[in-house]
């Protein structure tokens, strides 16, 4: 089945999901894994100038709430994020070959109610799976603590393997990739407040997040202790016995009416894109594509008849 055609409106927040190959626990939480992924995320956000509203990384998948100024910026952000995770975490856990199972999914979050619903979904990871009893017990990288503190920026270490290579090549200095001697740069990750909370102060946003977390923790039906060794000691090459694969949602909305409107907008965009694509592929290179879309590659374009 072909991948869905992307439509990245710069005014829209997207809920992004990506899963590891065969759902293996390649990103199993640990101090080193969290450090590496934190640096990768912070650097990608800064370099691509995207807005990050929430995130959570589990053993075999991650979720983001992100908005980009253009389709190209979103594409570059996800490319840098996933490729660096594949290289660095793959090296850490001894995994060779493909790291992520398929192209990431990105669905629009169309209204304020859906923004809160998606944030709750992110915060509840670990609790809803009955792996931990509290949101903040999750040992993996998560936005929960930063949001509780009112969105306070967090510092992460980016391991610069290019500088490490130069040390070895030019100075004959052997440095392990994951040692304290490896050259590091500090990256600062600052979360953008959700638009629905844009007029709230940092203290008010913190209180709102605490209320959400309190509700999630209050409904928890899992273990009562705070031991997370069953998560941190997972074999990274192992996989769950069963994984649920649900269809990708077309959009996230708080009401059915808003969801139908979002699907209709995408359908109209898709029709316009396909009409333009047919002309483009026939050799009419002057055709205009709808905004916020990618044109098909030119090497498939037939020679235009003169």
């Amino acid at each position: 089945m072909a991948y869905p055609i992307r439509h990245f409106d710069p005014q829209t927040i997207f809920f992004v999901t990506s899963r590891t190959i065969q759902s293996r626990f390649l990103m199993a939480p640990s101090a080193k894994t969290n450090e590496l992924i934190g640096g990768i995320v912070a650097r990608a956000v800064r370099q691509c100038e995207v807005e990050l509203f929430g995130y959570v990384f589990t053993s075999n998948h991650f979720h983001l709430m992100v908005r980009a100024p253009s389709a190209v910026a979103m594409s570059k952000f996800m490319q840098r994020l996933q490729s660096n995770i594949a290289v660095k975490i793959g090296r850490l856990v001894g995994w060779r070959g493909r790291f992520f199972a398929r192209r990431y999914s990105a669905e629009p979050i169309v209204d304020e109610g859906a923004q809160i619903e998606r944030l709750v979904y992110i915060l509840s990871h670990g609790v809803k799976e009955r792996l931990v009893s509290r949101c903040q017990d999750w040992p993996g990288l998560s936005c929960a603590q930063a949001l509780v503190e009112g969105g306070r920026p967090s510092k992460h270490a980016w391991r610069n393997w290019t500088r490490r290579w130069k040390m070895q090549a030019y100075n004959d200095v052997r440095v392990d990739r994951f040692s304290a001697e490896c050259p590091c740069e500090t990256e600062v990750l600052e979360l953008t407040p959700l638009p629905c909370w844009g007029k709230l102060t940092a203290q008010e946003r913190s209180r709102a997040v605490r209320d959400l977390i309190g509700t999630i923790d209050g409904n928890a039906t899992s273990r009562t202790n705070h031991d997370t060794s069953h998560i941190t000691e997972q074999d990274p090459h192992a996989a769950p016995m069963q994984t649920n694969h649900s269809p990708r949602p077309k959009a996230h909305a708080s009401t059915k009416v808003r969801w139908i409107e979002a699907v209709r907008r995408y359908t109209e965009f898709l029709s316009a894109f396909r009409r333009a694509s047919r002309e483009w592929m026939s050799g009419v290179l002057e055709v205009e594509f709808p905004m916020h879309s990618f044109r098909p590659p030119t090497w498939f374009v037939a020679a235009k008849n003169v």
Side-chain angles (χ1 to χ4, degrees), residues 52-76:
L52 187 64
F53 302 90
Y55 61 90
V56 64
F57 286 81
T58 73
S59 299
N60 59 14
H61 68 282
F62 66 80
H63 297 297
L64 309 172
M65 293 175 66
V66 61
R67 181 167 61 188
S70 67
V72 173
M74 176 69 86
S75 178
K76 287 183 177 180

Side-chain angles (χ1 to χ4, degrees), residues 216-248:
I216 296 169
D217 292 346
N219 295 330
T221 58
S222 62
R223 54 183 73 218
T224 57
N225 61 53
H226 306 312
D227 180 28
T228 58
S229 60
H230 59 293
I231 302 171
T232 57
E233 295 177 4
Q234 289 174 320
D235 177 5
H237 292 194
M241 297 184 64
Q242 184 177 0
T243 303
N244 295 325
H245 291 283
S246 57
R248 293 180 178 182

Side-chain angles (χ1 to χ4, degrees):
M1 179 181 294
Y3 288 125
I5 295 174
R6 304 288 199 194
H7 180 214
F8 285 118
D9 184 343
Q11 304 299 320
T12 301
I13 300 174
F14 287 86
F15 188 76
V16 176
T17 302
S18 188
R19 186 176 296 275
T20 58
I21 187 76
Q22 299 171 351
S23 296
R24 293 180 183 269
F25 304 134
L26 298 176
M27 298 188 295
S30 69
K32 190 64 66 178
T33 298
N34 292 350
E35 174 201 319
L36 291 172
I37 296 179
I40 291 169
V41 173
R43 192 176 185 87
V45 168
R46 176 181 63 81
Q47 290 182 333
C48 301
E49 299 181 340
V50 302
E51 297 174 288
L52 187 64
F53 302 90
Y55 61 90
V56 64
F57 286 81
T58 73
S59 299
N60 59 14
H61 68 282
F62 66 80
H63 297 297
L64 309 172
M65 293 175 66
V66 61
R67 181 167 61 188
S70 67
V72 173
M74 176 69 86
S75 178
K76 287 183 177 180
F77 169 69
M78 290 304 302
Q79 187 274 330
R80 295 187 183 192
L81 176 66
Q82 291 192 289
S83 62
N84 278 291
I85 290 176
V87 170
K88 293 194 172 183
I89 303 301
R91 175 77 68 165
L92 177 67
V93 301
W95 181 258
R96 299 175 65 88
R98 187 170 183 174
F99 195 93
F100 290 102
R102 61 179 184 177
R103 193 175 70 157
Y104 67 92
S105 65
E107 302 88 30
I109 305 174
V110 300
D111 60 12
E112 295 184 350
Q115 292 174 17
I116 300 298
E117 186 271 332
R118 287 294 90 189
L119 180 60
V120 169
Y121 185 83
I122 285 177
L123 293 173
S124 62
H125 260 64
V127 176
K128 64 183 179 62
E129 291 86 3
R130 301 183 179 182
L131 296 174
V132 294
S133 56
R134 301 187 311 169
C135 294
Q136 290 172 280
D137 286 341
W138 179 248
L141 197 68
S142 170
C143 63
Q145 187 59 40
L147 291 178
V148 165
E149 296 174 357
R152 182 174 63 86
S154 56
K155 294 183 178 181
H156 302 272
W158 162 263
R159 289 181 174 265
N160 193 322
W161 286 4
T162 301
R163 287 174 54 196
R164 169 190 169 275
W165 175 83
K166 290 180 178 179
M167 291 171 60
Q168 294 190 165
Y170 301 132
N171 303 325
D172 196 25
V173 177
R174 300 295 172 181
V175 177
D176 183 81
R177 289 177 174 82
F178 307 108
S179 68
E181 289 74 28
C182 181
C184 290
E185 300 170 8
T186 300
E187 294 285 350
V188 178
L189 177 60
E190 185 171 2
L191 294 176
T192 303
L194 287 172
C196 61
W197 288 345
K199 296 182 180 180
L200 301 181
T201 65
Q203 291 76 14
E204 290 171 333
R205 293 196 301 271
S206 175
R207 190 179 308 115
V209 173
R210 289 179 185 275
D211 290 342
L212 294 178
I213 290 177
T215 302
I216 296 169
D217 292 346
N219 295 330
T221 58
S222 62
R223 54 183 73 218
T224 57
N225 61 53
H226 306 312
D227 180 28
T228 58
S229 60
H230 59 293
I231 302 171
T232 57
E233 295 177 4
Q234 289 174 320
D235 177 5
H237 292 194
M241 297 184 64
Q242 184 177 0
T243 303
N244 295 325
H245 291 283
S246 57
R248 293 180 178 182
K250 297 182 182 298
H252 298 284
S254 59
T255 66
K256 187 175 181 179
V257 172
R258 289 185 178 272
W259 183 87
I260 292 174
E261 291 174 352
V263 174
R264 182 181 296 114
R265 285 194 299 270
Y266 178 72
T267 302
E268 292 172 353
F269 158 81
L270 196 59
S271 298
F273 179 88
R274 285 175 173 166
R275 285 195 300 271
S277 184
R278 284 193 294 270
E279 294 187 47
W280 172 270
M281 300 297 281
S282 67
V284 184
L285 302 184
E286 297 80 10
V287 64
E288 291 189 8
F289 279 79
M291 294 181 63
H292 318 308
S293 64
F294 291 98
R295 297 184 179 188
T298 55
W299 54 80
F300 288 125
V301 177
K304 183 177 179 181
N305 295 325
V306 178

